[in-house]
Amino acid sequence: MNMLTFDKTEIQKQSKPFIAEAVFAVETISANQQNEKQVKAKQLLDRLFPLEHGSHQDVTSYVVDYRHIMAYFKDGQHSGLKHPKHFVAYMGEKSDPDSILFRDGSGSHLEVMFGCHKGTGCIELVEIDDIQLESCTTFGQAPTEATNTTLQQETIAAMRHWISLVKGDEKGKPKACSEDKEFRAKSGEDYCLNYCFQI
């Protein structure tokens, strides 16, 4: 009982929005400093979605195992997330996902995209192609006078944007894009994040 209560408290502590902090951490790194960008990207994952054991810095591959994401290291050891509920979906194959999707305590998503394997014949560290953070803009629609305002619920439309941290411009500034994304949920169902949606 105490363990579960502690975990919930830990997750609630992390429920504050992380967009501004994450963008600030990488925006000063220029595009030609890819090694530094990789380090910062993995430090960001360690801070927001830590592993139960080890660091994202030392991961050689990620594998979807049943409903969990497992991180494997060079020595053959592996670890799940400290808070497994943070992993919600993926793209690609379970044994070699193209990207994995996390969701923090406040409901914001973060997609980690992986680069191509170098094929050197040696066990290489995972290369992060990009990290995209979800940012939403909401628009409230006021009730019209012609309707009974006590019966009508306010409709709130929202637009979802993705802020790209690793693939920025030449000055290292993050890029933003808007697109529909389709993932495979860890339960096996479709997990769709549309550009426009209603709350």
Side-chain angles (χ1 to χ4, degrees):
M1 289 292 282
N2 291 340
M3 290 282 290
L4 289 173
T5 306
F6 176 76
D7 284 349
K8 285 179 183 175
T9 305
E10 193 76 17
I11 290 172
Q12 286 168 357
K13 283 181 188 173
Q14 297 179 355
S15 64
K16 62 181 180 180
F18 56 73
I19 298 293
E21 179 186 355
V23 170
F24 181 76
V26 295
E27 68 178 353
T28 56
I29 305 171
S30 66
N32 57 7
Q33 292 179 287
Q34 279 304 310
N35 288 340
E36 184 65 20
K37 275 194 176 288
Q38 289 293 313
V39 169
K40 288 290 185 186
K42 292 175 182 180
Q43 284 175 352
L44 177 66
L45 293 180
D46 281 337
R47 192 162 70 251
L48 300 177
F49 304 105
L51 298 173
E52 191 172 11
H53 306 289
S55 165
H56 288 281
Q57 299 279 356
D58 304 316
V59 173
T60 58
S61 66
Y62 292 92
V63 174
V64 179
D65 183 13
Y66 186 53
R67 295 187 178 196
H68 300 278
I69 191 73
M70 300 302 293
Y72 284 82
F73 306 104
K74 278 188 176 182
D75 61 4
Q77 302 274 335
H78 61 276
S79 173
L81 292 175
K82 187 174 181 182
H83 305 293
K85 287 184 178 180
H86 283 163
F87 168 66
V88 292
Y90 65 97
M91 283 186 191
E93 301 296 322
K94 283 188 168 188
S95 59
D96 187 22
D98 297 327
S99 70
I100 52 179
L101 186 70
F102 296 116
R103 186 176 62 202
D104 77 346
S106 69
S108 295
H109 292 88
L110 177 146
E111 182 185 6
V112 183
M113 303 172 179
F114 303 113
C116 297
H117 297 297
K118 296 175 183 173
T120 60
C122 301
I123 298 176
E124 302 286 345
L125 297 177
V126 163
E127 185 170 316
I128 294 176
D129 193 44
D130 199 5
I131 288 181
Q132 292 195 346
L133 297 169
E134 176 190 35
S135 175
C136 295
T137 306
T138 56
F139 304 94
Q141 181 179 338
T144 60
E145 292 179 7
T147 60
N148 186 342
T149 56
T150 58
L151 296 177
Q152 183 179 0
Q153 292 183 341
E154 185 181 16
T155 302
I156 301 177
M159 283 197 255
R160 179 180 280 115
H161 310 286
W162 295 95
I163 301 171
S164 177
L165 296 185
V166 176
K167 288 188 172 177
D169 61 23
E170 56 206 16
K171 293 182 180 177
K173 299 297 181 186
K175 289 181 178 178
C177 66
S178 300
E179 59 181 304
D180 295 342
K181 289 179 181 267
E182 293 183 10
F183 300 88
R184 178 70 59 196
K186 60 184 178 183
S187 61
E189 301 168 356
D190 289 340
Y191 194 101
C192 301
L193 296 176
N194 295 326
Y195 166 47
C196 293
F197 60 101
Q198 287 191 343
I199 298 175

